[in-house]
PDB file of all heavy atoms in Angstrom:
ATOM      1  N   PHE A 681       1.689  11.057  20.955  1.00 91.00           N
ATOM      2  CA  PHE A 681       0.898  10.367  19.933  1.00 91.00           C
ATOM      3  C   PHE A 681      -0.176  11.286  19.364  1.00 91.00           C
ATOM      4  O   PHE A 681      -0.634  12.199  20.028  1.00 91.00           O
ATOM      5  CB  PHE A 681       0.262   9.111  20.526  1.00 91.00           C
ATOM      6  CG  PHE A 681      -0.663   9.360  21.689  1.00 91.00           C
ATOM      7  CD1 PHE A 681      -2.050   9.525  21.493  1.00 91.00           C
ATOM      8  CD2 PHE A 681      -0.177   9.481  22.978  1.00 91.00           C
ATOM      9  CE1 PHE A 681      -2.890   9.780  22.566  1.00 91.00           C
ATOM     10  CE2 PHE A 681      -1.014   9.719  24.051  1.00 91.00           C
ATOM     11  CZ  PHE A 681      -2.380   9.863  23.830  1.00 91.00           C
ATOM     12  N   SER A 682      -0.546  11.014  18.152  1.00 91.00           N
ATOM     13  CA  SER A 682      -1.645  11.721  17.469  1.00 91.00           C
ATOM     14  C   SER A 682      -2.853  10.830  17.401  1.00 91.00           C
ATOM     15  O   SER A 682      -2.815   9.650  17.771  1.00 91.00           O
ATOM     16  CB  SER A 682      -1.221  12.181  16.080  1.00 91.00           C
ATOM     17  OG  SER A 682      -1.128  11.030  15.224  1.00 91.00           O
ATOM     18  N   VAL A 683      -3.943  11.374  16.909  1.00 91.00           N
ATOM     19  CA  VAL A 683      -5.193  10.591  16.799  1.00 91.00           C
ATOM     20  C   VAL A 683      -5.058   9.510  15.731  1.00 91.00           C
ATOM     21  O   VAL A 683      -5.825   8.546  15.690  1.00 91.00           O
ATOM     22  CB  VAL A 683      -6.345  11.535  16.509  1.00 91.00           C
ATOM     23  CG1 VAL A 683      -6.346  12.017  15.061  1.00 91.00           C
ATOM     24  CG2 VAL A 683      -7.706  10.896  16.835  1.00 91.00           C
ATOM     25  N   LYS A 684      -4.035   9.647  14.866  1.00 90.00           N
ATOM     26  CA  LYS A 684      -3.826   8.642  13.796  1.00 90.00           C
ATOM     27  C   LYS A 684      -3.175   7.360  14.301  1.00 90.00           C
ATOM     28  O   LYS A 684      -3.319   6.300  13.683  1.00 90.00           O
ATOM     29  CB  LYS A 684      -2.915   9.241  12.716  1.00 90.00           C
ATOM     30  CG  LYS A 684      -3.595  10.192  11.726  1.00 90.00           C
ATOM     31  CD  LYS A 684      -2.568  10.585  10.676  1.00 90.00           C
ATOM     32  CE  LYS A 684      -3.186  11.362   9.540  1.00 90.00           C
ATOM     33  NZ  LYS A 684      -2.196  11.655   8.487  1.00 90.00           N
ATOM     34  N   VAL A 685      -2.441   7.444  15.406  1.00 87.00           N
ATOM     35  CA  VAL A 685      -1.634   6.307  15.889  1.00 87.00           C
ATOM     36  C   VAL A 685      -2.527   5.105  16.154  1.00 87.00           C
ATOM     37  O   VAL A 685      -3.550   5.231  16.849  1.00 87.00           O
ATOM     38  CB  VAL A 685      -0.851   6.685  17.127  1.00 87.00           C
ATOM     39  CG1 VAL A 685      -0.203   5.466  17.743  1.00 87.00           C
ATOM     40  CG2 VAL A 685       0.194   7.734  16.785  1.00 87.00           C
ATOM     41  N   GLY A 686      -2.159   3.962  15.602  1.00 83.00           N
ATOM     42  CA  GLY A 686      -2.920   2.740  15.839  1.00 83.00           C
ATOM     43  C   GLY A 686      -4.142   2.596  14.954  1.00 83.00           C
ATOM     44  O   GLY A 686      -4.970   1.704  15.177  1.00 83.00           O
ATOM     45  N   THR A 687      -4.282   3.455  13.951  1.00 87.00           N
ATOM     46  CA  THR A 687      -5.415   3.378  13.033  1.00 87.00           C
ATOM     47  C   THR A 687      -4.953   3.111  11.609  1.00 87.00           C
ATOM     48  O   THR A 687      -3.724   3.076  11.351  1.00 87.00           O
ATOM     49  CB  THR A 687      -6.250   4.680  13.043  1.00 87.00           C
ATOM     50  OG1 THR A 687      -5.472   5.728  12.403  1.00 87.00           O
ATOM     51  CG2 THR A 687      -6.570   5.115  14.484  1.00 87.00           C
ATOM     52  N   ILE A 688      -5.880   2.971  10.694  1.00 85.00           N
ATOM     53  CA  ILE A 688      -5.525   2.741   9.297  1.00 85.00           C
ATOM     54  C   ILE A 688      -4.889   3.974   8.670  1.00 85.00           C
ATOM     55  O   ILE A 688      -4.338   3.913   7.573  1.00 85.00           O
ATOM     56  CB  ILE A 688      -6.753   2.359   8.457  1.00 85.00           C
ATOM     57  CG1 ILE A 688      -7.824   3.468   8.513  1.00 85.00           C
ATOM     58  CG2 ILE A 688      -7.340   1.062   8.942  1.00 85.00           C
ATOM     59  CD1 ILE A 688      -8.966   3.258   7.562  1.00 85.00           C
ATOM     60  N   PHE A 689      -4.947   5.144   9.357  1.00 89.00           N
ATOM     61  CA  PHE A 689      -4.353   6.377   8.836  1.00 89.00           C
ATOM     62  C   PHE A 689      -2.925   6.578   9.280  1.00 89.00           C
ATOM     63  O   PHE A 689      -2.254   7.523   8.849  1.00 89.00           O
ATOM     64  CB  PHE A 689      -5.159   7.604   9.326  1.00 89.00           C
ATOM     65  CG  PHE A 689      -6.640   7.439   9.258  1.00 89.00           C
ATOM     66  CD1 PHE A 689      -7.440   7.679  10.370  1.00 89.00           C
ATOM     67  CD2 PHE A 689      -7.281   7.070   8.087  1.00 89.00           C
ATOM     68  CE1 PHE A 689      -8.805   7.530  10.328  1.00 89.00           C
ATOM     69  CE2 PHE A 689      -8.664   6.899   8.035  1.00 89.00           C
ATOM     70  CZ  PHE A 689      -9.427   7.144   9.156  1.00 89.00           C
ATOM     71  N   GLU A 690      -2.398   5.710  10.157  1.00 83.00           N
ATOM     72  CA  GLU A 690      -1.151   5.973  10.862  1.00 83.00           C
ATOM     73  C   GLU A 690       0.048   6.244   9.949  1.00 83.00           C
ATOM     74  O   GLU A 690       0.771   7.200  10.137  1.00 83.00           O
ATOM     75  CB  GLU A 690      -0.830   4.831  11.815  1.00 83.00           C
ATOM     76  CG  GLU A 690       0.437   5.034  12.587  1.00 83.00           C
ATOM     77  CD  GLU A 690       0.673   3.959  13.629  1.00 83.00           C
ATOM     78  OE1 GLU A 690      -0.124   3.001  13.690  1.00 83.00           O
ATOM     79  OE2 GLU A 690       1.671   4.057  14.370  1.00 83.00           O
ATOM     80  N   ASP A 691       0.273   5.396   8.990  1.00 80.00           N
ATOM     81  CA  ASP A 691       1.483   5.506   8.170  1.00 80.00           C
ATOM     82  C   ASP A 691       1.218   6.240   6.862  1.00 80.00           C
ATOM     83  O   ASP A 691       1.843   5.980   5.844  1.00 80.00           O
ATOM     84  CB  ASP A 691       2.077   4.109   7.912  1.00 80.00           C
ATOM     85  CG  ASP A 691       1.048   3.146   7.339  1.00 80.00           C
ATOM     86  OD1 ASP A 691      -0.131   3.536   7.245  1.00 80.00           O
ATOM     87  OD2 ASP A 691       1.436   2.007   6.989  1.00 80.00           O
ATOM     88  N   SER A 692       0.284   7.183   6.874  1.00 86.00           N
ATOM     89  CA  SER A 692      -0.030   7.966   5.699  1.00 86.00           C
ATOM     90  C   SER A 692       0.231   9.449   5.956  1.00 86.00           C
ATOM     91  O   SER A 692      -0.073   9.970   7.017  1.00 86.00           O
ATOM     92  CB  SER A 692      -1.516   7.792   5.337  1.00 86.00           C
ATOM     93  OG  SER A 692      -1.915   8.736   4.357  1.00 86.00           O
ATOM     94  N   ALA A 693       0.865  10.116   4.949  1.00 89.00           N
ATOM     95  CA  ALA A 693       1.114  11.561   5.069  1.00 89.00           C
ATOM     96  C   ALA A 693      -0.099  12.387   4.702  1.00 89.00           C
ATOM     97  O   ALA A 693      -0.093  13.602   4.909  1.00 89.00           O
ATOM     98  CB  ALA A 693       2.301  11.931   4.187  1.00 89.00           C
ATOM     99  N   LEU A 694      -1.137  11.769   4.180  1.00 92.00           N
ATOM    100  CA  LEU A 694      -2.335  12.518   3.808  1.00 92.00           C
ATOM    101  C   LEU A 694      -3.047  13.034   5.046  1.00 92.00           C
ATOM    102  O   LEU A 694      -3.139  12.328   6.053  1.00 92.00           O
ATOM    103  CB  LEU A 694      -3.283  11.618   3.013  1.00 92.00           C
ATOM    104  CG  LEU A 694      -2.809  11.183   1.637  1.00 92.00           C
ATOM    105  CD1 LEU A 694      -3.690  10.077   1.078  1.00 92.00           C
ATOM    106  CD2 LEU A 694      -2.820  12.370   0.665  1.00 92.00           C
ATOM    107  N   PRO A 695      -3.547  14.276   5.014  1.00 92.00           N
ATOM    108  CA  PRO A 695      -4.230  14.821   6.189  1.00 92.00           C
ATOM    109  C   PRO A 695      -5.569  14.130   6.441  1.00 92.00           C
ATOM    110  O   PRO A 695      -6.173  13.553   5.529  1.00 92.00           O
ATOM    111  CB  PRO A 695      -4.447  16.288   5.820  1.00 92.00           C
ATOM    112  CG  PRO A 695      -4.414  16.306   4.322  1.00 92.00           C
ATOM    113  CD  PRO A 695      -3.478  15.231   3.897  1.00 92.00           C
ATOM    114  N   LEU A 696      -6.013  14.214   7.712  1.00 93.00           N
ATOM    115  CA  LEU A 696      -7.289  13.559   8.064  1.00 93.00           C
ATOM    116  C   LEU A 696      -8.435  14.109   7.247  1.00 93.00           C
ATOM    117  O   LEU A 696      -9.393  13.382   6.982  1.00 93.00           O
ATOM    118  CB  LEU A 696      -7.548  13.795   9.554  1.00 93.00           C
ATOM    119  CG  LEU A 696      -7.030  12.751  10.545  1.00 93.00           C
ATOM    120  CD1 LEU A 696      -7.349  13.171  11.956  1.00 93.00           C
ATOM    121  CD2 LEU A 696      -7.622  11.388  10.233  1.00 93.00           C
ATOM    122  N   GLY A 697      -8.374  15.383   6.872  1.00 93.00           N
ATOM    123  CA  GLY A 697      -9.481  15.979   6.113  1.00 93.00           C
ATOM    124  C   GLY A 697      -9.757  15.218   4.842  1.00 93.00           C
ATOM    125  O   GLY A 697     -10.904  14.971   4.486  1.00 93.00           O
ATOM    126  N   LYS A 698      -8.711  14.802   4.132  1.00 95.00           N
ATOM    127  CA  LYS A 698      -8.903  14.046   2.877  1.00 95.00           C
ATOM    128  C   LYS A 698      -9.401  12.634   3.164  1.00 95.00           C
ATOM    129  O   LYS A 698     -10.236  12.099   2.467  1.00 95.00           O
ATOM    130  CB  LYS A 698      -7.614  14.031   2.093  1.00 95.00           C
ATOM    131  CG  LYS A 698      -7.219  15.401   1.512  1.00 95.00           C
ATOM    132  CD  LYS A 698      -6.077  15.319   0.561  1.00 95.00           C
ATOM    133  CE  LYS A 698      -5.648  16.698   0.032  1.00 95.00           C
ATOM    134  NZ  LYS A 698      -6.683  17.301  -0.815  1.00 95.00           N
ATOM    135  N   TRP A 699      -8.865  12.019   4.223  1.00 95.00           N
ATOM    136  CA  TRP A 699      -9.295  10.667   4.591  1.00 95.00           C
ATOM    137  C   TRP A 699     -10.789  10.650   4.938  1.00 95.00           C
ATOM    138  O   TRP A 699     -11.515   9.766   4.507  1.00 95.00           O
ATOM    139  CB  TRP A 699      -8.471  10.187   5.791  1.00 95.00           C
ATOM    140  CG  TRP A 699      -7.180   9.534   5.457  1.00 95.00           C
ATOM    141  CD1 TRP A 699      -5.928  10.069   5.600  1.00 95.00           C
ATOM    142  CD2 TRP A 699      -6.968   8.224   4.961  1.00 95.00           C
ATOM    143  NE1 TRP A 699      -4.978   9.174   5.195  1.00 95.00           N
ATOM    144  CE2 TRP A 699      -5.579   8.011   4.819  1.00 95.00           C
ATOM    145  CE3 TRP A 699      -7.833   7.163   4.618  1.00 95.00           C
ATOM    146  CZ2 TRP A 699      -5.030   6.834   4.338  1.00 95.00           C
ATOM    147  CZ3 TRP A 699      -7.293   5.970   4.146  1.00 95.00           C
ATOM    148  CH2 TRP A 699      -5.918   5.814   4.003  1.00 95.00           C
ATOM    149  N   LEU A 700     -11.218  11.586   5.729  1.00 94.00           N
ATOM    150  CA  LEU A 700     -12.605  11.582   6.206  1.00 94.00           C
ATOM    151  C   LEU A 700     -13.571  11.894   5.066  1.00 94.00           C
ATOM    152  O   LEU A 700     -14.680  11.333   5.022  1.00 94.00           O
ATOM    153  CB  LEU A 700     -12.784  12.546   7.352  1.00 94.00           C
ATOM    154  CG  LEU A 700     -11.978  12.171   8.623  1.00 94.00           C
ATOM    155  CD1 LEU A 700     -12.166  13.223   9.709  1.00 94.00           C
ATOM    156  CD2 LEU A 700     -12.409  10.803   9.142  1.00 94.00           C
ATOM    157  N   VAL A 701     -13.186  12.768   4.143  1.00 95.00           N
ATOM    158  CA  VAL A 701     -14.032  13.035   2.985  1.00 95.00           C
ATOM    159  C   VAL A 701     -14.096  11.788   2.112  1.00 95.00           C
ATOM    160  O   VAL A 701     -15.181  11.414   1.594  1.00 95.00           O
ATOM    161  CB  VAL A 701     -13.524  14.233   2.165  1.00 95.00           C
ATOM    162  CG1 VAL A 701     -14.290  14.374   0.867  1.00 95.00           C
ATOM    163  CG2 VAL A 701     -13.665  15.527   2.965  1.00 95.00           C
ATOM    164  N   ALA A 702     -12.976  11.098   1.939  1.00 94.00           N
ATOM    165  CA  ALA A 702     -12.976   9.861   1.147  1.00 94.00           C
ATOM    166  C   ALA A 702     -13.873   8.819   1.781  1.00 94.00           C
ATOM    167  O   ALA A 702     -14.636   8.106   1.103  1.00 94.00           O
ATOM    168  CB  ALA A 702     -11.547   9.314   1.028  1.00 94.00           C
ATOM    169  N   MET A 703     -13.866   8.716   3.125  1.00 93.00           N
ATOM    170  CA  MET A 703     -14.734   7.769   3.817  1.00 93.00           C
ATOM    171  C   MET A 703     -16.189   8.155   3.614  1.00 93.00           C
ATOM    172  O   MET A 703     -17.064   7.283   3.440  1.00 93.00           O
ATOM    173  CB  MET A 703     -14.384   7.741   5.297  1.00 93.00           C
ATOM    174  CG  MET A 703     -13.030   7.119   5.568  1.00 93.00           C
ATOM    175  SD  MET A 703     -12.589   7.089   7.335  1.00 93.00           S
ATOM    176  CE  MET A 703     -13.685   5.806   7.922  1.00 93.00           C
ATOM    177  N   TRP A 704     -16.484   9.446   3.639  1.00 93.00           N
ATOM    178  CA  TRP A 704     -17.875   9.898   3.403  1.00 93.00           C
ATOM    179  C   TRP A 704     -18.339   9.479   2.011  1.00 93.00           C
ATOM    180  O   TRP A 704     -19.435   8.990   1.831  1.00 93.00           O
ATOM    181  CB  TRP A 704     -17.946  11.419   3.547  1.00 93.00           C
ATOM    182  CG  TRP A 704     -19.347  11.962   3.568  1.00 93.00           C
ATOM    183  CD1 TRP A 704     -20.118  12.239   4.647  1.00 93.00           C
ATOM    184  CD2 TRP A 704     -20.157  12.249   2.412  1.00 93.00           C
ATOM    185  NE1 TRP A 704     -21.359  12.682   4.260  1.00 93.00           N
ATOM    186  CE2 TRP A 704     -21.422  12.711   2.893  1.00 93.00           C
ATOM    187  CE3 TRP A 704     -19.939  12.189   1.033  1.00 93.00           C
ATOM    188  CZ2 TRP A 704     -22.423  13.092   2.024  1.00 93.00           C
ATOM    189  CZ3 TRP A 704     -20.974  12.554   0.153  1.00 93.00           C
ATOM    190  CH2 TRP A 704     -22.194  13.008   0.685  1.00 93.00           C
ATOM    191  N   LEU A 705     -17.430   9.646   1.011  1.00 93.00           N
ATOM    192  CA  LEU A 705     -17.796   9.271  -0.363  1.00 93.00           C
ATOM    193  C   LEU A 705     -18.055   7.781  -0.496  1.00 93.00           C
ATOM    194  O   LEU A 705     -19.034   7.370  -1.091  1.00 93.00           O
ATOM    195  CB  LEU A 705     -16.657   9.717  -1.325  1.00 93.00           C
ATOM    196  CG  LEU A 705     -16.534  11.182  -1.644  1.00 93.00           C
ATOM    197  CD1 LEU A 705     -15.215  11.497  -2.338  1.00 93.00           C
ATOM    198  CD2 LEU A 705     -17.701  11.626  -2.518  1.00 93.00           C
TER     199      LEU A 705
END
């Protein structure tokens, strides 16, 4: 398993870097 499993990021091909910057914005 990865850190994405069981989270809102799980079924997305976008890297965590983009997700976390989007959350910061």
